């Protein structure tokens, strides 16, 4: 269902044919890198948080993790990840396919600056075996309300 919603989302801008589907899982950074035959750092992972009752997605490079001090300074709350059940309910995507596309209007999307060092990155497309190749500029342009912030650090 979620992949269909993302496909419909991209159909509006003519990008639906850019969605890649795999015969193997791409549910983790490592699996996505294998499926795409690329460096894990180029996987644009989407992390889901509750920030003072609001849903916040952070899209970051695959070799990064949340820096709790930067997160707290940026959002004025402690980093609290959503549970598996909450992720599906609040984003419309299941863990392994969470992405910043075709999410409810009240979901905020932060793009971490760690993505800007790459010409292209690969976020998921709503399923555990899909992705799309986008430039960081395309990601910003085609994710409704997305904003850039520095909230991660290298692992």
């Amino acid at each position: 269902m979620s992949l269909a919603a993302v496909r419909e989302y991209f159909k509006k801008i003519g990008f639906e044919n850019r969605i890649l589907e795999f015969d193997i899982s791409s549910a983790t950074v490592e699996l996505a890198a294998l499926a795409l035959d690329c460096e894990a750092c180029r996987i644009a992972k989407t992390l889901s948080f509750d920030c003072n009752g609001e849903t916040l997605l952070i899209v970051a490079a695959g070799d990064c993790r949340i820096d709790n001090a930067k997160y707290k300074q940026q959002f004025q709350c402690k980093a609290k990840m959503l549970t598996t059940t909450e992720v599906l309910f609040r984003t419309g995507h299941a863990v392994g396919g969470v992405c910043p596309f075709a999410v409810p209007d009240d979901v905020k999307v932060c793009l971490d600056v760690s993505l800007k060092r790459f010409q292209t990155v690969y976020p998921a497309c709503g399923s555990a075996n899909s992705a799309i190749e986008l430039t960081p500029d395309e990601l910003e342009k085609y994710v409704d309300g997305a904003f850039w912030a520095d909230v991660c650090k290298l692992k």
Side-chain angles (χ1 to χ4, degrees):
M1 175 79 171
S2 193
L3 174 60
V6 173
R7 191 175 303 286
E8 197 60 33
Y9 181 89
F10 279 120
K11 192 173 189 176
K12 296 173 189 171
I13 57 171
F15 280 15
E16 72 274 17
N17 292 330
R18 290 176 61 178
I19 295 174
L20 306 168
E21 290 185 76
F22 315 110
D23 293 331
I24 60 173
S25 176
S26 59
T28 67
V29 168
E30 293 76 18
L31 291 173
L34 283 173
L36 287 156
D37 193 26
C38 73
E39 297 173 293
C41 55
R42 290 188 53 215
I43 303 303
K45 63 184 177 182
T46 303
L47 305 169
S48 310
F49 295 89
D50 180 296
C51 185
N52 296 323
E54 295 185 329
T55 305
L56 172 66
L57 299 180
I58 297 179
V59 185
D63 61 348
C64 291
R65 63 186 177 107
I66 296 297
D67 181 313
N68 288 320
K70 288 180 180 181
Y71 181 101
K72 190 170 186 174
Q73 182 177 352
Q74 177 72 37
F75 300 113
Q76 282 72 55
C77 66
K78 185 177 180 181
K80 180 185 173 216
M81 293 194 79
L82 299 178
T83 65
T84 302
T85 304
E86 290 172 324
V87 169
L88 179 58
F89 178 73
R90 291 170 68 168
T91 71
H93 303 300
V95 171
V98 178
C99 64
F101 317 113
V103 296
D105 291 339
D106 63 342
V107 173
K108 294 181 180 177
V109 180
C110 172
L111 305 175
D112 187 73
V113 296
S114 61
L115 298 168
K116 288 188 174 188
R117 61 194 156 125
F118 304 108
Q119 284 190 321
T120 61
V121 294
Y122 295 94
C125 285
S127 72
N129 67 327
S130 64
I132 189 168
E133 185 176 18
L134 297 171
T135 67
D137 287 341
E138 287 175 324
L139 196 55
E140 178 183 21
K141 181 176 181 179
Y142 298 118
V143 174
D144 297 331
F147 61 95
W148 291 99
D150 182 4
V151 294
C152 291
K153 61 183 173 184
L154 290 175
K155 288 182 183 178

